[in-house]
Amino acid sequence: MLGWLMAVPLASAIAQSDCSTVIALSKLSQTTVEDRKSVEAASAAFCDEYSKSVQSGKAMSASASYKFLAASYGSSSVSAEQVASRYCSMSASFSRREDAYRQYVETIAPDAYKAYESCLAMQNNSVNMAVSALTPKTFQMVVGFAPKDENAKATLGVSGSPGVSCKWGGAGIGMGKVFTAAGTDTLMCVRDDSRTAEFVTVVKTSGVGSTMTVPWGAMDESGYALDALGKLQAQVQELQAELAQQRQQASTLAASLAAVKAEGSQATAAVNARFGKIAPTVLCSGDGWFPRPAAPTCPSGSASSGEFTHSAPGGKAGFGGNCRVCISTN
C-alpha cells in the first residue's frame, strides 16, 4: 500500500538532451522526466476528460492522459480529483492550468522548476546544458556553446555549496571555461556526502550574463532520495501510531464488553435463582350456575396474581366456576 511513496535510484544515465534533465538532480521518485510539450498535451486531454465526467456525473476511466499525469505522483492509486486539483483550473470548464508544467516539475522534484527556467534562459543566451550521468555522489553535465554571432565568446564559471567540487573536462577543480567558438565540454561535479543536500551554480559572465543554480538532492548510498524516504518513514510511523491507538481502543472495548457480559450473567443468575423459588398454586371454586361461585382466597403466606373463569366440561352455558392463581416463595 505504501510502495508508491518509495524513491528509486537516480544513478542511471540521463537520456534526455535538454533542460528537463536538470530536474533529475532533485527528483524524488521513479518518474521519467517528461518535456513541457508532452506534459501540457496530457494535461489538456485529461482536463477535458475530467470536465466531461463532472458534467455527466460519471466516473473517469483510467485513460492514457490520467496515467501519464498520475505517474508524477509516484502512485498508481492517485484519484482523478487529486490530478485535477494540480493540473486543471477551478473554473467550470476545468481547462488546463497555464502553469501545468511547473506543477508537474514541483511534484517530482521540489524547487527544480527555477533551475529549469534558468536553463532555458541559458539556452536563449547560446549556452546549452544537459545532465548526462548521475550517481549519489557525482554528476556530469554536457555544456555546449552555440553562438548566434560567429565572433562571440562565452566565459563560464561554476561554484557550489561547501560539500561540492566541480571541474571542466581536464581542467583543474574550480576553474572557469572559455568558449572562443562553438563547441562542448563536460562539467563534472562530486560531493563528499550524498546524504546532504547540495547545489551547483553555473554563471555566464561574458556578454549577456545569466545564472543557473541547480539543487542536488540528498540521497543514500543506493541513490534513493532521502526526502522521499523521510516522508515514507514518517507516514509509516504515523500509521504505526494509529494502529497502536486502534489496538488500545479495541482492547478497551473488549474489556468493556467482557464486563457487561459478566454483569449480565450475574443478573440472569440472580433472576433465575429468584424465580426458581417461586411456587404458583391454582385454587378453583366448585361449579355452579350463573353467577358462578367466587374463587377461593389465597392462603396465608401467598399472594394472588389474578383470576380466571372456567366452564365445566360438558356443562350447559353459564355453568362453571372461578379460579385464582396464588404465588408463594419457598
Side-chain angles (χ1 to χ4, degrees):
M1 181 176 70
L2 298 176
W4 67 271
L5 291 169
M6 295 184 66
V8 296
L10 298 178
S12 59
I14 307 301
Q16 295 95 328
S17 59
D18 59 15
C19 286
S20 63
T21 61
V22 302
I23 298 169
L25 286 170
S26 54
K27 192 169 64 167
L28 294 181
S29 60
Q30 185 182 15
T31 304
T32 300
V33 181
E34 304 288 350
D35 59 36
R36 180 189 289 269
K37 183 178 180 180
S38 298
V39 171
E40 291 183 344
S43 300
F46 169 82
C47 294
D48 181 61
E49 295 166 0
Y50 183 77
S51 176
K52 291 178 180 177
S53 74
V54 171
Q55 293 173 10
S56 66
K58 298 180 180 179
M60 275 193 64
S61 60
S63 64
S65 60
Y66 162 76
K67 293 178 181 178
F68 181 101
L69 297 175
S72 66
Y73 290 80
S75 169
S76 59
S77 60
V78 62
S79 68
E81 288 74 17
Q82 287 175 287
V83 176
S85 68
R86 186 172 292 274
Y87 293 103
C88 306
S89 70
M90 291 298 100
S91 64
S93 63
F94 292 101
S95 57
R96 174 182 65 81
R97 287 177 56 154
E98 291 300 318
D99 64 344
Y101 194 62
R102 179 178 191 135
Q103 295 296 323
Y104 169 80
V105 172
E106 291 298 313
T107 299
I108 65 173
D111 302 324
Y113 187 74
K114 185 175 181 180
Y116 170 79
E117 284 192 314
S118 299
C119 180
L120 293 180
M122 284 279 198
Q123 280 188 346
N124 292 333
N125 206 1
S126 303
V127 177
N128 301 316
M129 299 183 184
V131 176
S132 58
L134 174 62
T135 72
K137 289 189 176 182
T138 68
F139 78 84
Q140 294 183 5
M141 181 183 294
V142 177
V143 181
F145 178 53
K148 299 173 183 178
D149 181 350
E150 62 181 66
N151 296 319
K153 298 180 181 181
T155 301
L156 302 177
V158 60
S159 61
S161 47
V164 176
S165 298
C166 298
K167 65 179 180 180
W168 294 94
I173 292 176
M175 296 184 65
K177 173 67 182 180
V178 178
F179 287 98
T180 57
T184 62
D185 199 349
T186 301
L187 175 64
M188 297 175 289
C189 296
V190 298
R191 59 181 173 182
D192 301 327
D193 182 7
S194 67
R195 304 181 74 87
T196 301
E198 307 284 3
F199 66 85
V200 174
T201 300
V202 179
V203 181
K204 181 176 182 290
T205 58
S206 59
V208 179
S210 53
T211 301
M212 180 184 73
T213 298
V214 182
W216 190 1
M219 309 174 196
D220 67 7
E221 293 77 5
S222 300
Y224 289 89
L226 293 183
D227 284 351
L229 289 177
K231 291 178 181 178
L232 173 62
Q233 291 169 350
Q235 290 205 357
V236 169
Q237 291 175 352
E238 183 178 346
L239 288 173
Q240 288 175 336
E242 183 178 346
L243 179 59
Q245 183 179 10
Q246 290 177 346
R247 284 176 174 171
Q248 179 60 42
Q249 291 174 344
S251 177
T252 302
L253 178 59
S256 298
L257 290 174
V260 170
K261 184 177 180 180
E263 183 178 347
S265 296
Q266 293 174 355
T268 300
V271 171
N272 288 339
R274 181 176 179 183
F275 277 96
K277 297 179 180 180
I278 296 175
T281 302
V282 178
L283 301 177
C284 296
S285 67
D287 295 330
W289 292 102
F290 184 84
R292 298 184 177 106
T297 59
C298 290
S300 176
S302 63
S304 174
S305 67
E307 299 181 26
F308 64 90
T309 299
H310 76 278
S311 296
K316 297 181 179 181
F319 187 77
N322 289 291
C323 297
R324 186 185 304 278
V325 179
C326 298
I327 302 296
S328 61
T329 303
N330 295 329

